[in-house]
Amino acid sequence: MQQWVNGTVIEKIRWNEWLFSLRIDADVEEFSAGQFTKVALDLDGERVSRPYSYVNAPHERPIEIYFNTVPEGPLSNQLAAAAPGDTLWVNPQPNGLLTLDEMPPSDHLWMLCTGTGLGPFLSILKTDAPWDRFKRVVLVQAVRYAKDLAYAESIQSIVERRNGQMTFVPFVSREPTDFALTGRIPAAIADGRLEERAGLGLSAENSHVMLCGNSLMIQDTLQVLGKRGMRRHRRREPGHISMEKYH
Ligand SMILES: Cc1cc2nc3c(=O)[nH]c(=O)nc-3n(C[C@H](O)[C@H](O)[C@H](O)COP(=O)(O)OP(=O)(O)OC[C@H]3O[C@@H](n4cnc5c(N)ncnc54)[C@H](O)[C@@H]3O)c2cc1C
Ligand SMILES: NC(=O)c1ccc[n+]([C@@H]2O[C@H](COP(=O)([O-])OP(=O)(O)OC[C@H]3O[C@@H](n4cnc5c(N)ncnc54)[C@H](OP(=O)(O)O)[C@@H]3O)[C@@H](O)[C@H]2O)c1
């Protein structure tokens, strides 16, 4: 039977028309950076729940989720309409394997996301583990428009704090900018643009790749990395790629 605790919205961040974060006061169990919870609202007498990654690090409170509204989506639009003081339901038990504990050792960690798939990576990057474990960490955030590049200040402050150990690569696919790569992640791996921008090679010998967000991006990236001899990591069959599909 699903367990729920009461959560109270402390703060809502509206990044743009369709991107939001909620900071929520809720008494949840300990979790590992990269895991997700479930959030629910009672809508027309039915409890409607969906999974959302923790954006906050395990030591940080309140808890935080980052999401986009989906046209006709039952929960995301109601969450976007929430205001400070409103209550919702939170599953206290964490879930998910997109955590560093699950990753085999390697020199370099590549975190590739589309859209709100950034969330679990921020949680991980706010802990000490990636900096103790990897020589270099590359965070790649792919969005449609420049105004979808949420959490820019948080990312910049991690880059500055980690002084050379962390590289940030933004992709903006649907408008030109003077700072981001254009196009899509898999194509930029295939033609070498991503490695050139990061100043780092991506190979089965030295890299572990985490993928989060759009399942088509994940599918296409798996295919491109497969050509480099990189395969999905599983507990029983160690590999080089870990993933979480949002939609
Ligand atoms: C393990 C896991 C973790 C997740 N974590 C997050 C998170 O941290 N942030 C987040 O924004 N979403 C996350 N999602 C998706 C989220 O759970 C909801 O599906 C989403 O918020 C839409 O909810 P909804 O009730 O409005 O629509 P739904 O009924 O859930 O979906 C309606 C339609 O929209 C599609 N869809 C779902 N999510 C998206 C999306 N983000 N973009 C485009 N289409 C989508 C679905 O495939 C479906 O076709 C996660 C999903 C999974 C499986
Ligand atoms: N961001 C917006 O402008 C916007 C506006 C209104 C509503 N929304 C809502 O938000 C939802 C999610 O938006 P989102 O911007 O996060 O969606 P998204 O479609 O996942 O796009 C995010 C990034 O992923 C890229 N991508 C898509 N398919 C890919 C693939 N197969 N391989 C590699 N990269 C791929 C996109 O590139 P491409 O641009 O090349 O597809 C884009 O750069 C939408 O479905 C919609 O419901 C978004």
Side-chain angles (χ1 to χ4, degrees), residues 162-229:
R162 298 304 168 180
N163 193 25
Q165 200 179 354
M166 153 114 172
T167 304
F168 174 56
V169 181
F171 273 80
V172 175
S173 53
R174 299 196 185 183
E175 64 182 356
T177 70
D178 59 6
F179 61 92
L181 289 182
T182 54
R184 291 177 163 186
I185 290 170
I189 295 173
D191 66 15
R193 283 190 305 135
L194 178 56
E195 289 159 289
E196 189 187 336
R197 172 72 176 252
L200 196 66
L202 171 50
S203 74
E205 287 67 44
N206 63 17
S207 303
H208 193 88
V209 179
M210 298 172 94
L211 305 174
C212 190
N214 186 320
S215 55
L216 295 174
M217 176 280 285
I218 291 176
Q219 183 183 305
D220 292 353
T221 305
L222 275 173
Q223 205 173 15
V224 169
L225 292 177
K227 291 183 184 153
R228 298 182 180 211

Side-chain angles (χ1 to χ4, degrees), residues 45-153:
E46 192 192 337
R47 189 152 299 179
V48 178
S49 78
R50 298 284 184 267
Y52 292 97
S53 298
Y54 284 112
V55 179
N56 57 300
H59 62 275
E60 294 178 324
R61 290 295 181 274
I63 64 168
E64 182 166 332
I65 61 170
Y66 170 47
F67 60 96
N68 59 268
T69 51
V70 173
E72 317 292 331
L75 191 64
S76 59
N77 290 286
Q78 293 301 317
L79 290 177
D86 287 356
T87 58
L88 35 68
W89 298 108
V90 181
N91 179 358
Q93 291 164 346
N95 219 318
L97 299 175
L98 194 71
T99 63
L100 290 189
D101 308 347
E102 296 289 332
M103 319 270 144
S106 77
D107 288 343
H108 305 144
L109 178 64
W110 292 76
M111 299 172 140
L112 315 182
C113 65
T114 56
T116 53
L118 176 69
F121 296 158
L122 285 179
S123 181
I124 292 169
L125 292 170
K126 287 190 275 180
T127 66
D128 290 334
W131 317 109
D132 294 342
R133 281 193 50 181
F134 302 97
K135 290 182 190 154
R136 291 274 304 272
V137 177
V138 182
L139 172 66
V140 178
Q141 181 188 18
V143 297
R144 295 179 183 181
Y145 301 103
K147 67 178 174 180
D148 299 337
L149 289 167
Y151 289 98
E153 283 179 20

